[in-house]
Amino acid sequence: MDAELNGTFIHLGGFVEMVKYRYLYFVVLLTVYILILCTNCTIICLIWTHRNLHQPMYIFIAALSLNSVIFSTVLYPKLFIDVLSPKQVVVHSACMFQYFLYYSSGLSDFLLLSAMSYDRFVSICKPLQYPTVMGRRTVVVLLTLAWFLPACEVAVATVLNSKQKLCDFTTTGIFCNNTILQLHCVKSTFLTFYGLFIMINLLVAPVIFILFTYVKIFIVTYHRCVKVRKKAAETCSPHLMVLLSFSCLSLFDVIIARLESDLPSIVRLIMALQILVYNPLFNPIIYGVKMKEIWKHIRKLFYQLVKQGRH
């Protein structure tokens, strides 16, 4: 078995009423995937092409959108194949690769949100030091850490998972996430503690840091004029909305695998679909509408497209 592990097929058993709703699944997923690509690529292109958006805050937003594109491209094409196939299976090695990209891109978001909160803290609380503190080198370092650190830590977890012997070959999910831990013959204590280390290091610690910086921001702005408080609310509220939604969905991902909660299949499917849809699709919408400078360029682009369509 160990010698043939890389050729093992794993059945994805999280789909509900597949035969009955196969084409509905496909149309919905394809529509959502196209919207995700269009909205996130629009945000990336706007930030790339407009010099007034070449600021740390917008660069981090573009990085979040890039993560959403990677995250979705890792999951959606395989889902298209699954919903149209009579059997929903994946080779073990391909499952591990999806697992790696899923978690490295997802956990990277928390570090990017941490970088954004630090950027807002320096901008609002120490405006005179902002050009020096948040220089180009700082932005490059923060982006490198946000992408490199999760990739390294998740790579170790992926290798450890791939070496575990499997006694079951049917997951309760629709893609390869922590549900594959339930397939192992024996629970690895080291793997459990290492997973806990990753969760604390790349999820809990960034969330605590983000909440701490925003509390400091609100304390500082409380004693300033209404204009400063309004500006802080405009730039910080989108980040907090994204953080709240992403934290809740990440918590669900941990609960179903680590605590092995016995949830109905339909509940698991709905929550898995929310993970697939909510952040990748609504993050660019939230930032596009809430961030005034981005929204201004989006409206301008929309008017140009309408004008060209009339001609």
Side-chain angles (χ1 to χ4, degrees), residues 118-183:
Y118 178 69
D119 172 76
R120 292 300 84 206
F121 171 76
V122 177
S123 175
I124 295 170
C125 300
K126 301 179 180 181
L128 297 179
Q129 301 177 28
Y130 183 79
T132 304
V133 175
M134 293 303 297
R136 182 176 180 179
R137 179 176 295 180
T138 303
V139 173
V140 171
V141 169
L142 291 175
L143 285 174
T144 302
L145 287 174
W147 280 320
F148 185 72
L149 192 60
C152 290
E153 294 189 14
V154 175
V156 174
T158 304
V159 172
L160 292 174
N161 269 305
S162 65
K163 293 182 179 296
Q164 295 297 307
K165 186 177 180 181
L166 305 181
C167 284
D168 192 2
F169 300 92
T170 302
T171 73
T172 56
I174 61 175
F175 52 85
C176 295
N177 59 353
N178 271 328
T179 54
I180 63 172
L181 299 177
Q182 299 168 4
L183 307 182

Side-chain angles (χ1 to χ4, degrees), residues 76-271:
Y76 278 87
K78 179 63 173 70
L79 288 171
F80 298 153
I81 297 172
D82 287 334
V83 297
L84 294 178
S85 301
K87 292 184 179 180
Q88 293 73 48
V89 295
V90 59
V91 178
H92 183 265
S93 57
C95 186
M96 288 293 95
F97 182 66
Q98 189 181 66
Y99 174 94
F100 167 73
L101 291 177
Y102 171 75
Y103 282 108
S104 58
S105 61
L107 291 169
S108 174
D109 282 354
F110 283 101
L111 296 185
L112 288 173
L113 288 170
S114 299
M116 292 166 73
S117 69
Y118 178 69
D119 172 76
R120 292 300 84 206
F121 171 76
V122 177
S123 175
I124 295 170
C125 300
K126 301 179 180 181
L128 297 179
Q129 301 177 28
Y130 183 79
T132 304
V133 175
M134 293 303 297
R136 182 176 180 179
R137 179 176 295 180
T138 303
V139 173
V140 171
V141 169
L142 291 175
L143 285 174
T144 302
L145 287 174
W147 280 320
F148 185 72
L149 192 60
C152 290
E153 294 189 14
V154 175
V156 174
T158 304
V159 172
L160 292 174
N161 269 305
S162 65
K163 293 182 179 296
Q164 295 297 307
K165 186 177 180 181
L166 305 181
C167 284
D168 192 2
F169 300 92
T170 302
T171 73
T172 56
I174 61 175
F175 52 85
C176 295
N177 59 353
N178 271 328
T179 54
I180 63 172
L181 299 177
Q182 299 168 4
L183 307 182
H184 297 166
C185 297
V186 180
K187 284 187 176 181
S188 169
T189 303
F190 179 78
L191 190 57
T192 300
F193 279 104
Y194 185 73
L196 185 62
F197 165 75
I198 291 178
M199 185 177 72
I200 294 172
N201 189 32
L202 298 178
L203 196 156
V204 177
V207 169
I208 292 174
F209 175 78
I210 292 167
L211 294 176
F212 173 77
T213 55
Y214 282 128
V215 167
K216 293 285 289 183
I217 288 171
F218 292 140
I219 290 173
V220 170
T221 55
Y222 179 78
H223 299 288
R224 295 188 181 178
C225 64
V226 176
K227 185 178 180 180
V228 173
R229 291 200 296 269
K230 185 178 179 181
K231 181 183 177 182
E234 286 177 353
T235 57
C236 293
S237 59
H239 307 329
L240 291 175
M241 292 168 64
V242 171
L243 175 66
L244 179 63
S245 65
F246 201 60
S247 298
C248 291
L249 294 174
S250 299
L251 183 62
F252 170 78
D253 186 88
V254 172
I255 288 174
I256 61 171
R258 297 293 176 180
L259 302 184
E260 297 185 5
S261 56
D262 188 18
L263 294 174
S265 298
I266 187 64
V267 175
R268 289 177 179 271
L269 178 62
I270 291 171
M271 293 304 298

Side-chain angles (χ1 to χ4, degrees), residues 24 45 67 100 224 294:
L24 178 61
C45 290
N67 268 11
F100 167 73
R224 295 188 181 178
I294 296 178

